[in-house]
């Protein structure tokens, strides 16, 4: 794969002492910052290759050859530039930064009709021709595929009754109505998304976001409340289905959260998705699933809900995450830390990616409001949408 400058910078920051260790290069000396080894460019009788920890480079003071960690892997292990980068990404669990979004193949309206009034069946995003998701090109890091279920939680799951989901499924929630009235989705898009994600409705107008895994087992459901503008009603706290059931729970029920939308990751889909995209909000996953259909959209349900084990079922898929933003960049840092933990824990076939879309392009005012990708796409005045996300 090709690496942009941002990701090459991350690769070059891999500690050179650690790279030497992985390559089986013996380092001599007691210095903490600089050590020596025998040069592999010539017949070296005494260690003349100096390896500098601070500058993260190496150089032979006899033949003058040297370089960074990429050059080290290339020359010592007889690899090409790309092969050396691939090796470093895999060996050191580097989480690549997705910073090269391109347009998807989402259907567009005929350009000859662009000055005519658009149909009511077109969403706001389609009207603005927004396309923000990157085509992800990743490199395999394990030799053979494993079943997604094999990488799941080790504790035996005792699921909820699937009839709870089927009995609750309804469009009669404030969220479903407002998603259409606020212009996020058309009615047909909403119906399609609600069916795929099996959205339910509570008697008091809440929407039920069911957590259903790739084996179609029901873990729990989150009841959330929205205002008529499709923003969350912060005066009405979310409720968990398992906490409402109490004594009606199955025997030995043990709560294990999974990603909202994991049920879409079945083993028999005819079209393999370009990538699995993970966001914080269930609302965002539902909306973007109808705008960018080449991707499977999932939600972790909140910043504090994002854990490395949630990513375990995705080991054989390309994964890109889209953190919300804030003034300090703390959310981005937390998401990046979780990805690094997951990358070290599970045998992902492709490097995990994190988008810097909001970190690099959201305004200070937007960061103060802690917007997510839907807020950015729908409420930013874009003339050429791709300009704002390059």
């Amino acid at each position: 794969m090709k690496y942009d400058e941002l990701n090459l910078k991350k690769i070059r920051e891999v500690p050179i002492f650690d790279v030497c260790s992985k390559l089986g290069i013996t380092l001599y000396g007691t210095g903490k910052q600089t050590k020596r080894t025998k040069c592999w460019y010539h017949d070296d009788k005494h260690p003349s290759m100096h390896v500098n920890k601070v500058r993260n480079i190496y150089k032979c003071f006899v033949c003058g050859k040297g370089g960074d960690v990429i050059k080290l892997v290339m020359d010592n292990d007889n690899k090409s530039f790309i092969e050396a980068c691939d090796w470093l990404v895999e060996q050191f669990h580097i989480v690549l930064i997705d910073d090269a979004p391109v347009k998807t193949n989402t259907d567009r309206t005929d350009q000859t009709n662009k000055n005519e009034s658009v149909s009511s069946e077109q969403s706001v995003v389609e009207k603005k021709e927004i396309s923000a998701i990157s085509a992800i090109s990743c490199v395999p890091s394990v030799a053979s595929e494993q079943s997604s279920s094999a990488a799941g939680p080790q504790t035996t799951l005792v699921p909820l009754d699937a009839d709870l989901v089927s009995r609750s499924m309804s469009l009669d929630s404030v969220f479903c109505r407002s998603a259409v009235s606020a212009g996020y989705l058309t009615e047909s898009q909403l119906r399609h998304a609600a069916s795929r994600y099996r959205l339910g409705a509570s008697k008091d107008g809440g929407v039920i976001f069911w957590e259903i895994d790739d084996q179609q087992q029901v873990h729990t459901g989150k009841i959330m409340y929205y205002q008529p503008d499709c923003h969350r009603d912060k005066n009405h706290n979310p409720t968990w289905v398992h906490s409402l059931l109490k004594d009606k729970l199955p025997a030995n029920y043990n709560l294990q959260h999974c990603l909202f939308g994991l049920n879409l990751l079945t083993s028999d889909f005819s079209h393999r998705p370009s990538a699995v995209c993970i966001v914080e909000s269930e609302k965002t996953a539902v909306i973007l699933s109808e705008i960018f259909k080449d991707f499977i959209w999932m939600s972790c349900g909140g910043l504090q809900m994002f854990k490395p084990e949630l990513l375990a079922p995705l080991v054989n898929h390309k994964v890109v995450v889209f953190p919300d933003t804030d003034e300090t960049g703390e959310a981005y840092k937390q998401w990046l830390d979780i990805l690094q933990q997951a990358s070290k824990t599970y045998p992902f076939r492709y490097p995990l990616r994190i988008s810097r879309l909001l970190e690099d392009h959201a305004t200070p005012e937007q960061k103060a409001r802690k917007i997510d990708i839907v807020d950015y796409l729908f409420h930013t005045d874009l003339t050429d949408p791709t300009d704002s996300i390059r």
Side-chain angles (χ1 to χ4, degrees):
M1 65 173 290
K2 294 182 179 179
Y3 295 90
D4 59 24
E5 285 304 315
L6 192 61
N7 283 315
L8 287 176
K9 181 176 182 295
K10 287 175 67 68
I11 294 172
R12 290 189 173 103
E13 291 173 350
V14 175
I16 195 166
F17 284 4
D18 295 344
V19 175
C20 288
S21 177
K22 285 278 189 182
L23 291 171
I25 299 173
T26 302
L27 298 178
Y28 302 94
T30 58
K32 294 183 178 180
Q33 297 183 354
T34 302
K35 295 185 182 295
R36 294 174 294 114
T37 188
K38 291 183 179 180
C39 180
W40 48 87
Y41 294 108
H42 60 86
D43 186 15
D44 201 6
K45 302 298 183 181
H46 303 284
S48 56
M49 180 76 77
H50 287 234
V51 182
N52 189 288
K53 178 180 180 181
V54 177
R55 299 180 64 188
N56 222 42
I57 60 172
Y58 68 98
K59 182 175 181 178
C60 177
F61 281 81
V62 173
C63 67
K65 294 184 178 180
D68 57 19
V69 294
I70 299 177
K71 181 69 171 174
L72 172 61
V73 175
M74 288 173 62
D75 291 353
N76 185 267
D77 209 30
N78 193 29
K79 295 182 183 296
S80 68
F81 181 84
I82 296 299
E83 288 172 340
C85 290
D86 293 346
W87 185 87
L88 287 162
V89 168
E90 178 181 344
Q91 293 295 319
F92 293 93
H93 311 288
I94 299 173
V95 177
L96 300 179
I97 298 174
D98 179 32
D99 195 42
V102 297
K103 285 188 177 182
T104 68
N105 60 357
T106 304
D107 292 337
R108 300 288 187 254
T109 54
D110 189 344
Q111 289 299 307
T112 59
N113 297 325
K114 63 182 179 180
N115 294 322
E116 298 179 10
S117 59
V118 292
S119 163
S120 60
E121 279 293 294
Q122 289 179 293
S123 66
V124 172
V125 169
E126 290 173 318
K127 295 174 187 177
K128 296 172 73 172
E129 293 190 305
I130 293 174
S131 56
I133 312 307
S134 171
I136 311 301
S137 58
C138 301
V139 180
S141 59
V142 293
S144 60
E145 291 200 10
Q146 306 170 19
S147 66
S148 58
S149 60
Q154 297 301 308
T155 306
T156 302
L157 174 71
V158 179
L160 297 180
D161 189 346
D163 285 344
L164 289 170
V165 177
S166 58
R167 292 201 304 266
S168 75
M169 288 182 64
S170 171
L171 301 179
D172 193 23
S173 66
V174 176
F175 168 76
C176 288
R177 293 194 296 269
S178 62
V180 175
S181 62
Y184 289 103
L185 295 174
T186 65
E187 185 174 347
S188 61
Q189 287 175 326
L190 185 279
R191 289 182 178 277
H192 183 252
S195 175
R196 296 179 73 225
Y197 287 97
R198 304 181 194 176
L199 301 185
S202 64
K203 294 180 180 179
D204 55 356
V207 59
I208 306 177
F209 294 121
W210 291 102
E211 291 185 6
I212 307 172
D213 63 28
D214 53 337
Q215 305 301 311
Q216 307 308 306
Q217 298 180 107
V218 183
H219 291 227
T220 187
K222 182 162 64 170
I223 306 174
M224 296 189 68
Y225 300 87
Y226 285 80
Q227 298 174 336
D229 61 357
C230 206
H231 286 89
R232 192 165 68 83
D233 183 355
K234 296 183 179 180
N235 294 321
H236 205 155
N237 292 329
T239 304
W240 292 98
V241 170
H242 67 271
S243 66
L244 295 177
L245 291 176
K246 296 181 180 178
D247 297 335
K248 298 180 181 178
L249 289 171
N252 302 320
Y253 172 77
N254 56 311
L255 174 61
Q256 295 179 25
H257 285 290
C258 71
L259 291 167
F260 169 74
L262 189 59
N263 62 291
L264 302 177
L265 198 67
T266 55
S267 59
D268 59 350
F269 49 74
S270 57
H271 172 63
R272 193 173 186 85
S274 297
V276 174
C277 298
I278 303 174
V279 293
E280 184 173 321
S281 162
E282 294 92 348
K283 161 191 166 180
T284 299
V286 171
I287 292 172
L288 294 186
S289 72
E290 290 298 307
I291 309 303
F292 303 107
K293 298 180 180 180
D294 282 349
F295 307 90
I296 289 183
W297 290 87
M298 301 184 189
S299 161
C300 65
L303 178 60
Q304 302 306 319
M305 298 286 291
F306 192 38
K307 308 294 182 184
E309 54 267 27
L310 293 182
L311 300 175
L314 308 179
V315 291
N316 292 314
H317 296 270
K318 297 174 183 177
V319 177
V320 57
V321 302
F322 291 84
D324 290 3
T325 189
D326 56 50
E327 292 178 288
T328 63
E330 185 59 31
Y332 179 89
K333 295 174 185 176
Q334 288 189 39
W335 280 64
L336 181 58
D337 181 61
I338 294 298
L339 290 190
Q340 291 171 334
Q341 292 179 46
S343 183
K344 294 177 181 179
T345 305
Y346 302 104
F348 286 94
R349 190 174 183 220
Y350 305 93
L352 300 173
R353 287 180 173 268
I354 184 169
S355 172
R356 288 191 57 85
L357 172 64
L358 297 181
E359 291 302 297
D360 293 341
H361 300 292
T363 66
E365 184 274 333
Q366 289 174 323
K367 291 184 178 182
R369 290 193 288 111
K370 300 182 178 180
I371 68 167
D372 69 1
I373 186 174
V374 159
D375 297 321
Y376 180 78
L377 294 181
F378 278 82
H379 302 295
T380 301
D381 185 16
L382 303 173
T383 51
D384 180 354
T386 57
D387 286 344
S388 67
I389 54 178
R390 289 193 179 108

